Amino acid sequence: MNRFRALPAIVLTVAFTAPCQGAEVGIRETTVAAPERGRDLAVTVWYPAEAGGKPVLVGDNKLFKGTPASMDAPLLKGRFPLIVMSHGSGGRVQGMSWLATELAKAGFVVAGPNHPGTTSGNSTPADTPKLWERTQDLSAVIDMMITDPLWRDITDPVKIGVVGFSLGGAAAMEIAGARANLGAYARYCDTYTKWDCAWYAGGKAYVDDEAIEVDKVDLRKIDRARFEQSNLDRRIKSAVLIDPGLAQAYEEQSLKEIAIPMSFINLGSTRTIPEAVFADQLAVSTPQGTYVSVAGAVHFSFLPECKEGGAELLKSLGEVDPICEDGGSRSRADIHAELISLVLGALQRTLKDRF
């Protein structure tokens, strides 16, 4: 699961700056009450918009290119399917703007929270496996979108999907009905020493953009009842899962009981996809699962396009993950174009065409 947690706020702080051309979709920043968190969630909403609003670049910062949108533009009249999004570990939902914008252009309302405890600069190993918190976040966003006077008239309450990447893909798995087994996950990390397992064993966390030392996470000491509980939200009617985390830990019976279409996407080929997110067998186990892999991509290809000099900037900051690299055979823009086609096609097929 992606882990660019150490990058300081000056690099990854989301900016809303003037773009080079007019925006095609609206965007609003809001908050959602999350009583279980003891705090409000920061939520970004992309939506079909009428002319107006302030042209901005969403997610623009020193490392990543932003995506044009129109801040606070008037909402387009109509009723549109709702897609909730869950970002990867150490990410932010604004980093999914390249995809969310295209979904809004195609007639979806897209909303996603920044998950406390697993965002860039504020991420801890202890918070990472608490998927029940992420699914609660997503359900709280759905509650807001279908009841708030601003959004309820344009949001179709019976056409709701979820898109998740990496740890966000694990949250999407669970909100669709998958249940994880703590023993299986712990045994997997006993022998697998990369990715999420390395994060738990690393003894390092990031709080307020500062690295701190923490105890290593003993997965067997996690609250088993919470970890293994069902986090199903029956309002979700379709799920798209890109490199979903915890791929080795789901209960087989829970996968067989998932009643909605599950569209699995892996970044890379059989030889290059990390074991932590390999999803081909998940697709086989779910009754309406489909599977595709994106050749020439790597896990970090899902992140926004890097600006010129991005790799050098990362190196100067001591970042070891190849965040700006894509395997060498394809550009990130080309990979994104294929991913947009795959995700949009899955959601149109399972939400717009299905009902």
Side-chain angles (χ1 to χ4, degrees):
M1 293 177 281
N2 63 302
R3 314 184 306 284
F4 57 104
R5 303 179 176 91
L7 300 184
I10 193 172
V11 176
L12 286 181
T13 295
V14 174
F16 297 98
T17 56
C20 299
Q21 57 187 16
E24 296 182 327
V25 301
I27 185 170
R28 298 199 182 197
E29 295 291 315
T30 187
T31 59
V32 172
E36 296 251 1
R37 289 278 198 181
R39 58 180 292 181
D40 290 346
L41 299 173
V43 176
T44 303
V45 184
W46 295 259
Y47 55 92
E50 296 181 357
K54 177 185 176 181
V56 295
L57 284 175
V58 183
D60 187 66
N61 53 50
K62 289 190 174 183
L63 178 61
F64 293 131
K65 296 179 181 179
T67 307
S70 187
M71 179 68 76
D72 298 329
L75 280 63
L76 187 68
K77 290 181 173 61
R79 180 154 284 194
F80 309 100
L82 170 66
I83 307 300
V84 289
M85 283 188 145
S86 187
H87 63 75
S89 176
R92 287 190 173 102
V93 73
Q94 291 89 348
M96 301 174 78
S97 189
W98 61 270
L99 176 58
T101 297
E102 295 302 320
L103 297 181
K105 287 179 184 178
F108 293 90
V109 175
V110 183
N114 282 324
H115 297 289
T118 55
T119 61
S120 53
N122 286 280
S123 185
T124 74
D127 284 318
T128 301
K130 297 178 180 178
L131 289 173
W132 62 89
E133 294 183 341
R134 278 185 167 240
T135 53
Q136 289 167 352
D137 294 345
L138 296 176
S139 291
V141 171
I142 294 173
D143 292 341
M144 184 267 290
M145 294 299 296
I146 65 176
T147 61
D148 185 274
L150 177 63
W151 301 111
R152 65 190 181 195
D153 289 339
I154 72 164
T155 300
D156 191 331
V158 300
K159 295 182 179 180
I160 301 176
V162 60
V163 174
F165 165 62
S166 198
L167 187 63
M173 287 289 296
E174 297 220 352
I175 202 170
R179 298 187 305 277
N181 181 283
L182 183 59
Y185 193 42
R187 289 191 296 273
Y188 151 75
C189 274
D190 286 342
T191 57
Y192 191 70
T193 58
K194 302 177 182 178
W195 293 80
D196 45 345
C197 302
W199 173 237
Y200 297 137
K204 182 181 291 185
Y206 299 93
V207 176
D208 296 331
D209 299 301
E210 297 290 337
I212 63 172
E213 293 185 2
V214 295
D215 293 335
K216 296 179 181 180
V217 172
D218 183 345
L219 290 173
R220 291 176 172 83
K221 292 183 178 179
I222 293 173
D223 187 328
R224 178 181 293 273
R226 300 303 299 271
F227 187 85
E228 296 185 347
Q229 72 184 24
S230 173
N231 296 306
L232 172 65
D233 189 326
R234 296 188 185 278
R235 295 173 296 184
I236 297 290
K237 304 301 182 184
S238 176
V240 180
L241 314 106
I242 303 101
D243 274 6
L246 276 71
Q248 314 301 321
Y250 298 110
E251 291 279 6
E252 183 73 13
Q253 185 58 38
S254 74
L255 300 178
K256 293 179 179 178
E257 294 171 357
I258 293 177
I260 64 172
M262 302 284 281
S263 304
F264 294 92
I265 301 172
N266 269 145
L267 300 170
S269 64
T270 301
R271 294 181 296 102
T272 62
I273 298 167
E275 181 181 350
V277 298
F278 209 167
D280 58 342
Q281 292 306 305
L282 298 179
V284 171
S285 298
T286 52
Q288 299 181 61
T290 61
Y291 178 80
V292 64
S293 59
V294 177
V298 298
H299 189 67
F300 294 108
S301 297
F302 191 84
L303 302 181
E305 290 184 62
C306 290
K307 292 182 176 178
E308 185 176 353
E312 291 74 17
L313 175 61
L314 291 170
K315 185 177 180 180
S316 72
L317 295 169
E319 175 59 49
V320 296
D321 284 328
I323 291 170
C324 291
E325 298 178 16
D326 295 290
S329 62
R330 300 176 66 181
S331 70
R332 187 163 295 186
D334 183 40
I335 294 167
H336 281 185
E338 182 175 350
L339 283 167
I340 288 166
S341 178
L342 291 171
V343 174
L344 183 57
L347 293 173
Q348 287 177 326
R349 184 174 62 254
T350 57
L351 288 178
K352 283 192 171 184
D353 297 344
R354 189 179 178 88
F355 296 92

